[in-house]
Amino acid sequence: MELNIACIPGDGIGPEIINEAKKVLDAVAIKYGHKISYNTILLGGASIDAYGEPLTEDTIEKAKSADAVLMGSIGGDANTSPWYQLPPAKRPEAGLLGIRKALNLFANLRPAVLYTELEDACPLKKEIIKDGFDIMIMRELTGGLYFGERSTTTDHGVRKAVDTLTYDEIEIKRIAIKAFEIAQKRNKLVTSVDKANVLDSSRLWRTVVNEVAKEYPEVKCEHMLVDNCAMQLVRNPGQFDVVLTENMFGDILSDEASMVTGSIGMLASASLNETKFGLYEPSHGSAPDIAGMDIANPIATILSASMMLKYTFDLDKEADEIEKAVKLALKDGYRTKDIMSEGNQLVGCSEMGTILAGYIK
Ligand code: NAD
């Protein structure tokens, strides 16, 4: 298969972790006979330095003409980087928001996986963790409270602020379809999270999710109120497979789920549109404090590349091979500094990439 990937190394540790992801992807391509072409494009601080803008038309065009985008991370140290002397619309993060919008990415996927080898980093008790957990939080990205009409007024000297939470059935249906498709590739359970006991938007959400669920009889569909879900994530995280929810609930629950894994350098993410296209990136930022030191953990980016193989290219076997390599490396005791613990072997960013690629050969 030919894989046409736009690569955004970005800023800080971005170029280092992207190099390692390419190393691993290349090992997969050799083993399985695929041909990968990488088109490197600039975004964020790197684009400001080159063109004076965090996002150019050229970057948008090249991203659109690729099958998928693989990104490192964007941004610098807000206290020291000259990028943050610029007006907000010209700063690195504006480039990221701009490209997400230009690519119409409405579904955000954030896996929260606890590897048993890293359970010491998990703040939950052992009897709660049991055999680890593997949750996919699926958050709607372009609707809801963050995009509804808002206003702040003063009426008879009393200040008042209003935000509105709006969803239409088309927005709900398209992300529900994605959630059920993704659940088919996993453990076939969708837990749709809402506040249907109070909110009209949640009642519509639940109705539309149930309609979509009928098309996927092999996937079990459950509903959970958001307050209960927040509790269940720390009480029994192993019960979840795909958690489907609207924008603000997803914003909060995805951070909660990632915190219970305890390892920021291990967390992948993807943002998808209606086609097979997606932008894949680690959940963490550009870590300017450790940039250029060869100590960053590249695994979140490598697992994002694995998601790309699975969800854009339907190369499930190849994606599983990467996940297996990560588990083997952890089992064999290889650790970057952020996940290091006694009795294991400390490796750098580049060495971790080489080790993972080595398991795939
Ligand atoms: P951060 O995630 O970059 O770093 C937080 C802490 O985690 C730091 O101590 C860092 O060294 C560590 N860390 C992060 N990734 C790591 C890795 N792979 N290996 C080892 N340690 C790692 O968050 P921050 O410091 O709040 O933000 C830094 C910059 O990143 C800012 O400019 C911010 O805007 C940007 N940012 C970008 C994205 C993105 O590109 N999607 C996301 C979040 C933050």
Side-chain angles (χ1 to χ4, degrees):
M1 185 180 207
E2 294 214 352
L3 287 67
N4 173 16
I5 300 169
C7 244
I8 303 177
D11 309 316
I13 59 170
E16 299 166 57
I17 53 183
I18 281 289
N19 271 346
E20 302 319 306
K22 282 160 92 175
K23 221 183 249 176
V24 172
L25 281 172
D26 288 343
V28 169
I30 290 170
K31 180 160 178 181
Y32 290 91
H34 301 301
K35 187 172 178 295
I36 305 184
S37 61
Y38 302 102
N39 193 1
T40 300
I41 54 180
L42 298 183
L43 184 75
S47 177
I48 296 173
D49 291 346
Y51 307 116
E53 298 283 337
L55 173 64
T56 60
E57 277 306 315
D58 184 58
T59 283
I60 294 174
E61 282 318 306
K62 286 184 174 143
K64 278 185 175 167
S65 64
D67 299 322
V69 179
L70 180 63
M71 193 174 96
S73 44
I74 297 301
D77 183 330
N79 296 318
T80 57
S81 165
W83 300 328
Y84 296 91
Q85 307 297 323
L86 298 165
K90 298 275 182 194
R91 292 181 191 171
E93 289 71 16
L96 190 54
L97 294 177
I99 199 162
R100 284 182 178 147
K101 193 160 178 230
L103 299 173
N104 191 28
L105 304 170
F106 65 82
N108 181 241
L109 274 69
R110 273 174 64 177
V113 181
L114 181 72
Y115 298 93
T116 41
E117 291 79 10
L118 299 181
E119 65 183 25
D120 285 349
C122 175
L124 303 179
K125 289 182 187 156
K126 273 200 169 44
E127 59 261 37
I128 291 175
I129 301 170
K130 293 181 192 138
D131 299 327
F133 48 83
D134 180 351
I135 310 169
M136 178 70 81
I137 306 274
M138 228 170 134
R139 164 188 173 193
E140 203 289 328
L141 262 192
T142 58
L145 207 55
Y146 298 170
F147 292 90
E149 277 181 32
R150 63 179 58 108
S151 64
T152 305
T153 52
T154 303
D155 192 7
H156 300 291
V158 179
R159 287 171 294 168
K160 181 177 165 187
V162 179
D163 295 287
T164 48
L165 201 176
T166 310
Y167 272 106
D168 68 36
E169 59 182 312
I170 298 166
E171 291 170 307
I172 302 167
K173 188 174 174 188
R174 65 183 183 176
I175 190 160
I177 289 171
K178 285 268 178 212
F180 282 93
E181 281 173 356
I182 282 162
Q184 277 180 318
K185 287 182 179 252
R186 295 173 45 97
N187 291 324
K188 300 188 173 54
L189 169 66
V190 170
T191 305
S192 176
V193 173
D194 59 38
K195 189 73 183 166
N197 53 341
V198 179
L199 301 175
D200 264 30
S201 56
S202 281
R203 284 190 274 272
L204 179 64
W205 182 278
R206 200 175 272 216
T207 305
V208 176
V209 169
N210 278 334
E211 286 163 8
V212 172
K214 287 196 188 112
E215 306 296 318
Y216 298 86
E218 69 283 23
V219 178
K220 193 171 172 215
C221 176
E222 293 177 348
H223 300 276
M224 192 178 276
L225 296 176
V226 62
D227 38 353
N228 186 24
C229 183
M231 286 194 291
Q232 294 300 329
L233 279 171
V234 289
R235 209 172 146 218
N236 179 14
Q239 72 184 284
F240 294 109
D241 179 24
V242 174
V243 173
L244 164 66
T245 191
E246 62 92 47
N247 201 344
M248 184 178 66
F249 297 161
D251 189 6
I252 299 165
L253 294 177
S254 61
D255 270 8
E256 184 190 359
S258 61
M259 271 318 293
V260 296
T261 71
S263 316
I264 193 173
M266 303 288 298
L267 299 169
S269 89
S271 302
L272 309 177
N273 69 14
E274 246 150 345
T275 69
K276 283 278 178 187
F277 183 90
L279 185 148
Y280 298 85
E281 56 174 324
S283 291
H284 60 73
S286 60
D289 52 331
I290 57 166
M293 296 164 74
D294 193 31
I295 59 170
N297 186 346
I299 294 179
T301 316
I302 290 166
L303 290 171
S304 304
S306 157
M307 288 179 81
M308 176 180 74
L309 295 182
K310 190 173 275 186
Y311 298 120
T312 289
F313 298 105
D314 283 322
L315 297 173
D316 294 20
K317 199 163 34 116
E318 289 83 338
D320 290 346
E321 179 101 20
I322 295 181
E323 286 176 28
K324 214 170 68 197
V326 169
K327 284 183 188 147
L328 276 175
L330 295 176
K331 197 158 159 269
D332 289 345
Y334 296 112
R335 302 280 190 277
T336 45
K337 193 164 174 255
D338 56 311
I339 53 172
M340 182 61 187
S341 58
E342 220 183 304
N344 292 305
Q345 187 180 336
L346 182 65
V347 296
C349 178
S350 155
E351 201 179 348
M352 182 58 98
T354 305
I355 288 165
L356 293 174
Y359 285 117
I360 289 163
K361 280 184 186 130

